Amino acid sequence: TEVPEGIAHFLEHKLFESEDGDAFSKYAKTGAYANAFTSFDKTCYIFSCTNNFYENLKILLSFVSEPYFTSESVAKEQGIIGQEITMYDDMPSWRVFHNLLVALYKNHPINIDIPGTKETIAQITPELLYSLYNTFYTPSNMFLALSGDFDEEEIIKIVDGIIAKEEKPKGKAIFKDEELTAVKNEITQIMQVAKPLYAYGFKLAPNPSLKDVLSIELLIKVLIGDASPLYKKLMDQELIDDDFGGELMYGRGFSTIIFEGACETPKKVIDEILNEIEKIKQNGIDEKLFNAIKKNAIGVMLRQFNSPESINSMLCELALKNEEPFETLKLLKEITIKDLYNKLEVFKKENSALSIIKSEE
């Protein structure tokens, strides 16, 4: 079964509505902050509060388990999301990022805009939304992340009283095979920007292990982190600013290293990054730099436990990937310079692509 692009995001919007009013109105009465988002591999519904915690939890569990769609409300939402799509189309920072994914991926749905297009969301009906909901919003496909001061037994009682026990047949998303070679090595779009934006990515083997993820994340910091020699060099040459950075983005069926920034000569920055990779291959990784970056990464992870919001965000990410927070910390402490050096082989030019947004010359 094929569904219109953007339908998961559309479903997220519509799920807040019910026959007796929308969830945001209910949260307003209890004093809670609420939000939701759909990314490439999940939809999350969020609330935070200082009181009425159990009442707010009941609101959350109720509206995600009681869908209510009508033709009128779907038509209204098509107009609202159509405006959101226009906003994203006019946002250079999103376009440079998404264009990179289009250049890298041929078959994986990561190359599809999350909100879809005005044409695809026009195909969405209440029947399609119910079908998608019943296929993927099943208890075994959902997880609940909580952080704060609450009674666990009371939480279990509330969940058991609202979430249906009977398990529906679970749908499965099918991914076509994807070669590691990039679809195209460069893509440029003309938009009005103060200076060119760029995103440079390497397509990696999908579904990396947790150790691979942590090793690559540390390697990116060794390469272009603000403690690295290359970062200082690029700053001194005024080729980068505070918005420059790199990350590993990964999920089910995809894994990509992305470097992003803004400057008049994007290709010069890319050449410097590639030269630094070759230099490290030849000379190895500075042990003092590695130890400093590793300690910093451990500190950043530990500081997450100071904030209920950060803990919840971390739990959501790890639950989706079937990983545990303290296992992550344990593995991070065990990573060596050799683990990082072995990951240098992921930087293959044929698997890379460059996306540029620039004004007309």
Side-chain angles (χ1 to χ4, degrees):
T1 300
E2 291 189 10
V3 293
E5 295 176 7
I7 194 169
H9 172 257
F10 201 102
L11 177 59
E12 170 219 311
H13 275 234
K14 296 310 302 167
L15 214 55
F16 278 94
E17 294 184 13
S18 63
E19 285 190 86
D20 61 343
D22 69 271
F24 285 117
S25 299
K26 296 174 183 177
Y27 280 130
K29 292 176 183 177
T30 62
Y33 163 81
N35 207 343
F37 68 88
T38 296
S39 64
F40 291 109
D41 52 9
K42 63 181 174 296
T43 296
C44 285
Y45 301 91
I46 307 157
F47 79 82
S48 61
C49 62
T50 54
N51 49 36
N52 301 315
F53 179 78
Y54 299 117
E55 187 178 348
N56 287 314
L57 178 61
K58 289 174 184 176
I59 294 171
L60 172 68
L61 296 176
S62 295
F63 80 77
V64 298
S65 57
E66 297 170 1
Y68 176 71
F69 315 125
T70 66
S71 297
E72 293 76 18
S73 68
V74 168
K76 180 183 176 184
E77 200 65 43
Q78 284 164 337
I80 294 169
I81 294 181
Q83 292 177 335
E84 187 177 338
I85 289 169
T86 300
M87 180 188 73
Y88 275 103
D89 286 343
D90 291 338
M91 193 182 297
S93 59
W94 174 256
R95 295 264 50 93
V96 72
F97 168 72
H98 185 260
N99 288 351
L100 173 65
L101 300 180
V102 171
L104 287 172
Y105 286 88
K106 181 180 180 180
N107 296 321
H108 195 284
I110 194 176
N111 66 8
I112 297 172
D113 251 344
I114 291 169
T117 67
K118 291 181 181 179
E119 292 73 26
T120 61
I121 65 168
Q123 303 166 26
I124 295 173
T125 63
E127 293 73 27
L128 271 176
L129 290 173
Y130 278 118
S131 175
L132 189 76
Y133 175 88
N134 290 324
T135 301
F136 290 102
Y137 279 63
T138 66
S140 64
N141 217 29
M142 301 162 76
F143 58 86
L144 177 65
L146 304 163
S147 62
D149 183 14
F150 49 79
D151 182 272
E152 290 181 51
E153 290 185 7
E154 183 64 21
I155 297 293
I156 293 169
K157 190 190 302 181
I158 291 170
V159 172
D160 285 344
I162 296 174
I163 300 296
K165 301 261 193 323
E166 64 274 10
E167 182 60 38
K168 297 177 286 187
K170 186 165 112 176
K172 181 180 180 182
I174 299 171
F175 298 96
K176 296 177 182 176
D177 292 338
E178 181 81 45
E179 294 181 1
L180 278 183
T181 310
V183 178
K184 57 175 72 174
N185 294 117
E186 189 171 328
I187 186 168
T188 300
Q189 182 177 349
I190 303 299
M191 297 182 75
Q192 290 303 311
V193 289
K195 58 182 173 180
L197 306 181
Y198 63 88
Y200 183 56
F202 289 88
K203 192 174 179 182
L204 278 55
N207 309 314
S209 69
L210 181 55
K211 184 176 180 181
D212 287 343
V213 167
L214 296 172
S215 298
I216 292 169
E217 288 176 340
L218 288 179
L219 180 57
I220 291 170
K221 294 293 185 185
V222 167
L223 274 171
I224 55 98
D226 55 15
S228 69
L230 180 60
Y231 184 89
K232 184 179 186 305
K233 179 182 176 182
L234 295 175
M235 271 290 190
D236 290 344
Q237 295 178 4
E238 297 184 349
L239 290 173
I240 61 172
D241 55 24
D242 291 339
D243 292 330
F244 174 73
E247 65 171 332
L248 172 67
M249 189 177 77
Y250 70 105
R252 189 168 45 150
F254 69 91
S255 180
T256 306
I257 294 172
I258 299 176
F259 301 100
E260 289 185 281
C263 80
E264 296 295 340
T265 53
K267 291 185 179 179
K268 190 171 182 182
V269 176
I270 303 311
D271 286 341
E272 291 286 0
I273 292 172
L274 294 173
N275 289 338
E276 188 70 12
I277 291 167
E278 291 304 314
K279 191 186 297 183
I280 293 175
K281 283 181 180 178
Q282 297 296 322
N283 303 328
I285 296 169
D286 180 84
E287 187 173 358
K288 187 176 179 182
L289 176 63
F290 166 75
N291 288 332
I293 286 172
K294 181 177 169 180
K295 286 177 181 177
N296 177 261
I298 292 169
V300 168
M301 176 166 279
L302 289 173
R303 281 199 300 274
Q304 283 186 280
F305 290 96
N306 288 338
S307 159
E309 288 85 357
S310 295
I311 292 170
N312 243 43
S313 178
M314 175 173 57
L315 290 175
C316 282
E317 288 296 326
L318 295 176
L320 192 73
K321 298 175 173 75
N322 198 28
E323 296 165 0
E324 296 286 342
F326 295 106
E327 179 64 21
T328 303
L329 188 60
K330 179 172 173 281
L331 270 176
L332 185 56
K333 290 179 178 179
E334 294 172 356
I335 288 174
T336 65
I337 285 183
K338 186 178 178 182
D339 293 322
L340 269 64
Y341 188 82
N342 289 339
K343 288 297 153 199
L344 285 165
E345 52 87 22
V346 304
F347 295 105
K348 294 178 180 174
K349 200 158 186 181
E350 65 270 24
N351 300 346
S352 70
L354 173 63
S355 167
I356 296 174
I357 299 286
K358 63 178 183 177
S359 300
E360 288 188 79
E361 297 174 357

